[in-house]
Amino acid sequence: MPDFDVTLLLDTGTLSVRDVRCRGECRHRSSEECAAATHLVFPYRGVYVRHVGSDESVADANHVLFFNQGQAYQVSHPVDGGDACLSLALPEALLQELAPPALLQRGAPGLSEQSLRIDPRAQALVALLRHGLAGGLLEPLEAEGLLLTLVCRSLGPRTTRAAASTRQRRRLVDRAKLLLASDLTRRWTLADIAAELGGSPVYLTQAFAQVEGVPLYRYQLRLRLAQALDRLPRADDLTSLALELGFSSHSHFASAFRQTYGRSPSEFQRALGAH
């Protein structure tokens, strides 16, 4: 039985989009796979690690990952729960037109980075596209326009790129991201995280800010809010949802959501046609 389910949401001949859900039964590295075309993959639930040779990338809702055409990779799931992603296949000609030259690989198709951090508006676009396409609420032309906006927002100058950092720091930060993802509702302290990882709270804070460009709390908050984006269409009680996601109250959740996405949770529900 396959470890994942794939649902085709859109295929216009120019762009194709799939909802990919993996049960995450492979704790260690999977067998090697290879993409037939370059994909931009936007995780929206759960977490996994993608391995390309000796390089690793933690895949969570704060990032877009690049699966290059012809590039071998493996996947592992060190955190229980599986994952789900919106996967967008891009023809090489379109990628060449949309991507900044500095991100394009030389002499090979695809992109030179493994992943980039996306901003909250890109996260919201992922949710709007996924729910809109799954519910038949988007016309193909509208969906293509939103997808191109998502690509440009994810690859363009608004994307935060990590400053130069050592491999040791990046590995420490990856371990911290996996720890946060293992229990999004927990109210972590720096001392808790540092104790789990075996390091100094000060060093961890500095390393995380350098690699990810945001503090640990802000990173965890965005992961919680990304879960809200996923669950809002099915949520009848926003207070219960807020508490389940680790917020202290509905007002705390609504304030953080509005500050991040520019609208309230109920307004976002209405935009999705959920209520």
Side-chain angles (χ1 to χ4, degrees), residues 9-10 12 129 132-133 136-147:
L9 298 178
L10 179 73
T12 66
L129 279 160
L133 288 170
L137 304 175
L138 295 176
E139 294 289 335
L141 186 61
E142 180 183 9
E144 284 183 310
L146 290 174
L147 285 164

Side-chain angles (χ1 to χ4, degrees), residues 7 37-38 50 53-54 57 89 101 110 112 128 141 170 189 199 213 231 240 244 258:
T7 302
T38 296
R50 198 267 299 267
S54 61
S57 292
S112 57
L128 286 168
L141 186 61
R170 291 195 298 271
T189 67
R231 295 175 58 181
S240 295
E244 288 169 11
R258 180 182 289 278

Side-chain angles (χ1 to χ4, degrees), residues 66-275:
F66 307 125
F67 287 70
N68 290 329
Q69 177 183 339
Q71 184 179 58
Y73 67 90
Q74 296 168 290
V75 170
S76 62
H77 290 85
V79 176
D80 290 333
D83 67 88
C85 302
L86 191 75
S87 180
L88 168 61
L90 281 180
E92 186 63 22
L94 191 58
L95 190 63
Q96 293 282 335
E97 187 175 353
L98 292 174
L103 271 180
L104 293 170
Q105 288 198 123
R106 293 184 179 181
L111 298 155
S112 57
E113 300 282 347
Q114 273 216 59
S115 66
L116 291 174
R117 188 165 61 82
I118 60 174
D119 63 15
R121 291 194 179 185
Q123 287 180 328
L125 268 176
V126 170
L128 286 168
L129 279 160
R130 186 169 63 84
H131 295 305
L133 288 170
L137 304 175
L138 295 176
E139 294 289 335
L141 186 61
E142 180 183 9
E144 284 183 310
L146 290 174
L147 285 164
L148 292 179
T149 298
L150 175 61
V151 172
C152 291
R153 188 163 196 94
S154 301
L155 301 183
R158 289 179 183 271
T159 302
T160 302
R161 292 174 173 77
S165 58
T166 64
R167 185 183 184 89
Q168 181 183 15
R169 283 196 166 200
R170 291 195 298 271
R171 286 293 175 87
L172 174 66
V173 169
D174 281 351
R175 290 172 60 209
K177 289 191 286 189
L178 292 172
L179 186 63
L180 292 176
S182 70
D183 188 354
L184 287 178
T185 63
R186 178 170 172 176
R187 296 187 181 182
W188 293 95
T189 67
L190 278 175
D192 290 336
I193 299 173
E196 290 280 349
L197 300 181
S200 154
V202 172
Y203 180 77
L204 174 63
T205 301
Q206 293 173 342
F208 202 94
Q210 182 193 45
V211 172
E212 285 300 323
V214 293
L216 276 157
Y217 169 73
R218 181 65 57 184
Y219 192 92
Q220 184 194 35
L221 175 64
R222 289 186 182 175
L223 289 178
R224 285 177 174 171
L225 292 173
Q227 289 297 297
L229 290 174
D230 177 39
R231 295 175 58 181
L232 271 173
R234 306 179 298 279
D236 295 318
D237 185 341
L238 295 185
T239 298
S240 295
L241 176 62
L243 297 177
E244 288 169 11
L245 293 174
F247 292 93
S248 59
S249 65
H250 173 269
S251 60
H252 178 207
F253 166 55
S255 175
F257 193 96
R258 180 182 289 278
Q259 184 178 15
T260 302
Y261 299 119
R263 63 179 78 182
S264 70
S266 56
E267 288 170 340
F268 195 83
Q269 277 186 323
R270 288 194 291 273
L272 296 174
H275 289 272

